Amino acid sequence: NAGVTQTPKFRVLKTGQSMTLLCAQDMNHEYMYWYRQDPGMGLRLIHYSVGEGTTAKGEVPDGYNVSRLKKQNFLLGLESAAPSQTSVYFCASSRQAGDTQYFGPGTRLTVL
Amino acid sequence: AQSVTQPDIHITVSEGASLELRCNYSYGATPYLFWYVQSPGQGLQLLLKYFSGDTLVQGIKGFEAEFKRSQSSFNLRKPSVHWSDAAEYFCAVVPMDSSYKLIFGSGTRLLVRP
């Protein structure tokens, strides 16, 4: 059981470039989440999904898009990266609403 | 405003000393309560959680937390800290009005003196 995995671990982008972060879970969880972590601000929810084919906005969705085409995968896209999107991104999953969320190891993204 | 507050940004304790990390929340109904730990460069690991029942909750690595409804608090404790406990600790809640959202405090960084 790998749990929650994230690809890539590190990435450097130039302003205006695009990229996709991949999250995969092997626990058959319905719910998946994308967070960003910035110093002194804890983790903030970007987007989430309550099941395959569904997505919804979280606290800080602007500049990001997501897709959940398969139950086990949740993709986070940046169409035109900005320096303000420099952050550490965490994916998480849970069996059901309100249940314990299990986190991936994170992706450190720098936008120059 | 609804929030989760961890008033201590940094705490330094000596190895073997006791530890208490504070967490307060401001939600009308008692939310689900969690403590997570993040070691440097790592993801978050669940230490313990409270949904209902006994207000003293035992977790992994010798941690415990006590829910106090009257104080809207969920403080994390450990009787004897080990050097390996140095990490950042996050309190988090799932409010009853939006059960999918995990709201995090800003974190407390624990430093352990030898």
Side-chain angles (χ1 to χ4, degrees):
Chain A
N1 251 1
V4 179
T5 57
Q6 292 181 231
T7 310
K9 288 185 169 53
F10 302 93
R11 187 71 186 269
V12 178
L13 292 178
K14 294 181 180 178
T15 296
Q17 287 185 317
S18 64
M19 77 162 295
T20 300
L21 307 183
L22 171 63
C23 175
Q25 53 96 4
D26 62 4
M27 296 175 282
N28 202 35
H29 285 170
E30 289 294 334
Y31 286 67
M32 296 187 74
Y33 315 82
W34 275 108
Y35 294 90
R36 60 178 289 172
Q37 182 180 30
D38 301 292
M41 301 186 74
L43 278 78
R44 293 179 293 168
L45 183 65
I46 305 171
H47 285 282
Y48 65 98
S49 167
V50 302
E52 181 178 320
T54 75
T55 63
K57 293 180 180 179
E59 183 186 357
V60 289
D62 293 342
Y64 305 94
N65 57 76
V66 287
S67 64
R68 182 107 181 262
L69 300 179
K70 293 183 179 181
K71 186 177 184 178
Q72 64 268 32
N73 294 338
F74 195 30
L75 279 65
L76 178 71
L78 286 72
E79 290 186 348
S80 180
S84 61
Q85 294 177 303
T86 293
S87 188
V88 181
Y89 292 86
F90 287 98
C91 176
S93 71
S94 67
R95 188 167 52 90
Q96 60 189 25
D99 206 352
T100 300
Q101 293 187 19
Y102 295 88
F103 285 81
T107 295
R108 184 172 295 274
L109 175 66
T110 302
V111 183
L112 302 175
Chain B
Q2 296 180 329
S3 65
V4 181
T5 302
Q6 293 181 248
D8 303 304
I9 299 174
H10 296 101
I11 281 186
T12 301
V13 299
S14 298
E15 191 168 16
S18 63
L19 171 70
E20 182 169 31
L21 303 182
R22 296 181 290 167
C23 174
N24 292 92
Y25 62 90
S26 59
Y27 293 90
T30 300
Y32 294 159
L33 299 158
F34 303 80
W35 275 100
Y36 283 85
V37 61
Q38 184 180 30
S39 297
Q42 302 296 315
L44 280 77
Q45 182 182 21
L46 180 70
L47 284 175
L48 47 78
K49 61 187 177 185
Y50 173 79
F51 287 178
S52 64
D54 192 346
T55 56
L56 186 61
V57 180
Q58 301 298 319
I60 62 171
K61 303 185 181 188
F63 285 91
E64 65 179 26
E66 185 172 14
F67 167 60
K68 292 186 177 180
R69 186 188 307 274
S70 62
Q71 299 177 18
S72 297
S73 68
F74 189 54
N75 294 349
L76 182 71
R77 300 195 295 245
K78 186 169 185 178
S80 177
V81 169
H82 188 262
W83 64 266
S84 61
D85 293 325
E88 189 150 22
Y89 292 79
F90 292 95
C91 179
V93 309
V94 173
M96 287 298 99
D97 60 349
S98 55
S99 59
Y100 49 81
K101 285 187 180 180
L102 189 59
I103 311 297
F104 284 86
S106 55
T108 297
R109 183 167 297 279
L110 174 65
L111 304 174
V112 180
R113 280 193 296 256

